[in-house]
Amino acid sequence: MLPDIASYYRETRPERLVITGSAGAGKTVLALELLLALIEDRAVGDPVPVRIPLSRWDIERQTLPELLSERLVEAYDWPPTMAAGLVHHGMVLPVLDGLDEMDPAGPGSVPDAAPRTIAVVEALNAYQRGREAGPLILTCRTGHYDTLTPRTTVVDAARIAIERVHATDAREYLAGRAFDEARWRPFLDHLAAEPTGMLATVLSTPWRLGLTATVYHRDDPAELLTLPNANAVDSHLLARYIPAAIRTAPNPDQYTADEVHRWLHHLTTHLDPTGAAGGNRARAGGNSPTGATDLLLHELWPLAGRRRVITTDVLLGPIALGQVFGTWIGLLAGIIGGLVFRTTRGLVFGSLTGIATGIAFGTLASLIFVVPVAIVSAITTGLIAGFTSGFAIWIAAGISREPGTGTGGRAAVASDARLGLAVGITAGFVLGAGFDASTGLPFGLAAGITAALAFGARASRRYMVFLVCSRAKLPFRVGRFLDWAAGAGLLRYSGAGYQYRHRELQHWFRRNPLPPPVP
């Protein structure tokens, strides 16, 4: 049973708490339990706890208040000015997860030097709320935090250390989740006979206990008794995790274990391109993060090749707009040609020929005259930008979610597309109003929406280009797959993004491009 950590936290002065534990001990889970308890009993005027993976903090360029504001904007869809105001008035309680991930030295190891970790601790010590140290909640692996203690520590902070799971509690947990307790009996008896043995030590964290219960829900765990050491046990459990998750979770899209493994491995190359599991997250210009933990749909596009996606993205706008103009002009030419010949066949043939010719010439012209068209478009757009922008913002506000409600993994892409659509419809009405209503309005809407989505809506447009360019390495509906993986227990939600269920699982996928053989 969990202790009343919320009451303990509220009694600390100042309200600063560090949660430590071994890998897989449940530090994030305990921090989330505290977060939910604080929200449930929150009084008017109390700050709202917000969880932030510390790997997203660009400590060289950002202050903590700037990080908090960015998180409200990216994960909870708050307007930047409003987010900054909430932070400034002390209405956000930072729940900072993973201090040990600032200078990762690889799975299970402790870095000899931790410059970014020390910089974070110094920034937290400088964080003030009036005359007191600013309230915060921080998680870190025990070994990493103890390594820092001789040099620096979070001042005025209480500390909670999560103990390892005792063999008796591990046996009780596994017995309660065993599909066939008789089949589990030899394994459970072994844990009782050797409470300090190798297997009991491996299963002394909630992460590995849950992993074991999932893998052997319907299989015989006695094969674990034949493995020689802890590393072999870990590798064995992780290799069987995906097949077990697919068997136990609903799978309407019929994903196979091989597909899931290859896709999840490919996504780790975005989080850790070099495979070193270290370094800072490059933030500017959409660069891939290194040693990061969050998968955000609108930031995945470099996976398909930066040059390839950017080139396709740049060409997409002129080509799409050229095809709209070509289709409209070709359609008019075809109708005129058909009417001249005064036959139904001539009308149909003329229209189709005109459309095809118009599309071809429109596409070619858009590629040849990209710069002149862009200059003319800029001048024309400038004349109507004030009205279009104001009206579009008003429309977008009406069809957007309230701040803080668009927190799903696909929310950022959807919000960007809605804004682009609103701008396109508005611009289309303005453009079409200058022509005859029967022909000008449809053309204006088509041109306006195409232009807005092709030249605006950058995040959603680039995401669609990424999907097209990644068909060989990822499913086309990446967001749907990530939602399924979260439901199957392979990933977990983190604000507007996704994380691997445990950092150890992320490292394992990164090291294994192909699924290892499962006995």
Side-chain angles (χ1 to χ4, degrees):
M1 182 177 180
L2 287 173
D4 188 0
I5 187 175
S7 297
Y8 175 78
Y9 173 75
R10 290 193 181 96
E11 292 173 359
T12 60
R13 290 294 180 272
E15 294 182 341
R16 295 163 72 90
L17 178 65
V18 178
I19 300 173
T20 61
S22 60
K27 299 179 293 296
T28 298
V29 173
L30 186 58
L32 290 175
E33 288 286 343
L34 174 56
L35 180 150
L36 294 174
L38 292 175
I39 290 177
E40 184 177 354
D41 298 332
R42 177 178 173 268
V44 176
D46 286 350
V48 177
V50 175
R51 176 182 171 270
I52 306 174
L54 268 174
S55 60
R56 294 193 65 82
W57 191 354
D58 188 350
I59 189 62
E60 288 84 10
R61 300 181 183 180
Q62 278 183 313
T63 64
L64 180 57
E66 289 171 343
L67 173 67
L68 298 179
S69 299
E70 180 186 74
R71 183 64 171 178
L72 293 180
V73 173
E74 289 186 351
Y76 302 103
D77 206 22
W78 281 91
T81 302
M82 189 179 296
L86 290 173
V87 174
H88 176 73
H89 289 93
M91 296 305 297
V92 179
L93 169 63
V95 181
L96 306 169
D97 192 16
L99 179 63
D100 50 277
E101 294 172 1
M102 296 301 290
D103 293 284
S109 58
V110 179
D112 295 329
R116 299 186 66 242
T117 303
I118 293 173
V120 167
V121 173
E122 291 174 348
L124 298 182
N125 289 339
Y127 178 54
Q128 294 285 124
R129 179 70 51 77
R131 296 184 178 180
E132 287 190 345
L136 58 87
I137 299 165
L138 176 69
T139 71
C140 185
R141 290 188 183 183
T142 301
H144 285 68
Y145 198 74
D146 290 343
T147 302
L148 294 174
T149 302
R151 290 173 282 179
T152 184
T153 187
V154 180
V155 298
D156 298 328
R159 178 177 175 180
I160 290 178
I162 302 177
E163 295 183 351
R164 289 185 171 272
V165 179
H166 191 271
T168 302
D169 297 323
R171 288 177 60 248
E172 182 179 348
Y173 172 86
L174 293 173
R177 284 155 181 77
F179 183 75
D180 182 356
E181 189 171 349
R183 188 179 66 240
W184 276 77
R185 181 53 51 194
F187 181 78
L188 298 176
D189 289 344
H190 174 84
L191 292 181
E194 298 187 25
T196 60
M198 182 269 291
L199 279 176
T201 301
V202 171
L203 301 183
S204 62
T205 65
W207 155 241
R208 288 187 178 85
L209 271 177
L211 186 61
T212 303
T214 300
V215 167
Y216 290 107
H217 178 62
R218 293 180 178 272
D219 293 333
D220 189 355
E223 62 186 10
L224 292 176
L225 301 176
T226 65
L227 300 177
N229 53 51
N231 288 336
V233 173
D234 281 344
S235 298
H236 185 80
L237 290 174
L238 291 169
R240 297 181 63 115
Y241 189 29
I242 290 180
I246 289 178
R247 287 197 306 268
T248 56
N251 187 10
D253 293 309
Q254 299 297 305
Y255 300 128
T256 67
D258 285 354
E259 287 175 334
V260 172
H261 185 105
R262 286 189 288 102
W263 295 337
L264 290 178
H265 162 75
H266 186 57
L267 290 168
T268 63
T269 64
H270 172 69
L271 300 174
D272 184 13
T274 64
N280 186 17
R281 180 181 185 270
R283 305 182 62 82
N287 293 332
S288 298
T290 303
T293 59
D294 281 27
L295 297 167
L296 297 169
L297 288 181
H298 62 285
E299 293 183 357
L300 293 179
W301 62 268
L303 270 175
R306 293 180 58 81
R307 182 175 299 177
R308 181 184 185 190
V309 172
I310 291 175
T311 301
T312 305
D313 189 18
V314 168
L315 295 178
L316 179 64
I319 290 175
L321 199 57
Q323 288 180 344
V324 171
F325 277 94
T327 300
W328 183 64
I329 294 172
L331 179 60
L332 291 180
I335 292 175
I336 293 173
L339 292 176
V340 169
F341 289 103
R342 298 180 180 276
T343 63
T344 304
R345 180 179 300 179
L347 179 63
V348 174
F349 177 78
S351 298
L352 293 178
T353 304
I355 290 173
T357 305
I359 289 176
F361 278 99
T363 301
L364 180 62
S366 66
L367 293 176
I368 296 175
F369 301 107
V370 159
V371 175
V373 169
I375 295 175
V376 174
S377 298
I379 296 173
T380 305
T381 302
L383 298 176
I384 60 174
F387 174 77
T388 301
S389 300
F391 192 56
I393 291 173
W394 177 71
I395 292 178
I399 62 176
S400 297
R401 296 184 176 93
E402 289 295 323
T405 60
T407 58
R410 289 174 271 186
V413 174
S415 178
D416 184 71
R418 285 196 301 271
L419 180 59
L421 186 62
V423 172
I425 292 174
T426 306
F429 274 113
V430 174
L431 182 62
F435 299 90
D436 178 72
S438 61
T439 57
L441 189 58
F443 165 72
L445 287 174
I449 293 174
T450 302
L453 294 179
F455 296 102
R458 182 174 181 270
S460 55
R461 186 188 69 248
R462 188 158 286 186
Y463 174 66
M464 292 302 299
V465 173
F466 155 71
L467 293 181
V468 172
C469 295
S470 299
R471 290 301 303 273
K473 295 183 177 180
L474 289 171
F476 184 71
R477 302 182 68 179
V478 176
R480 180 180 174 90
F481 166 69
L482 294 178
D483 285 334
W484 173 85
L490 300 169
L491 303 178
R492 63 187 178 194
Y493 292 108
S494 176
Y498 306 83
Q499 291 182 342
Y500 287 83
R501 179 68 176 269
H502 193 271
R503 191 65 184 266
E504 180 181 277
L505 183 62
Q506 177 183 326
H507 288 315
W508 184 81
F509 276 119
R510 186 64 183 90
R511 296 192 306 269
N512 293 276
L514 298 175
V518 177

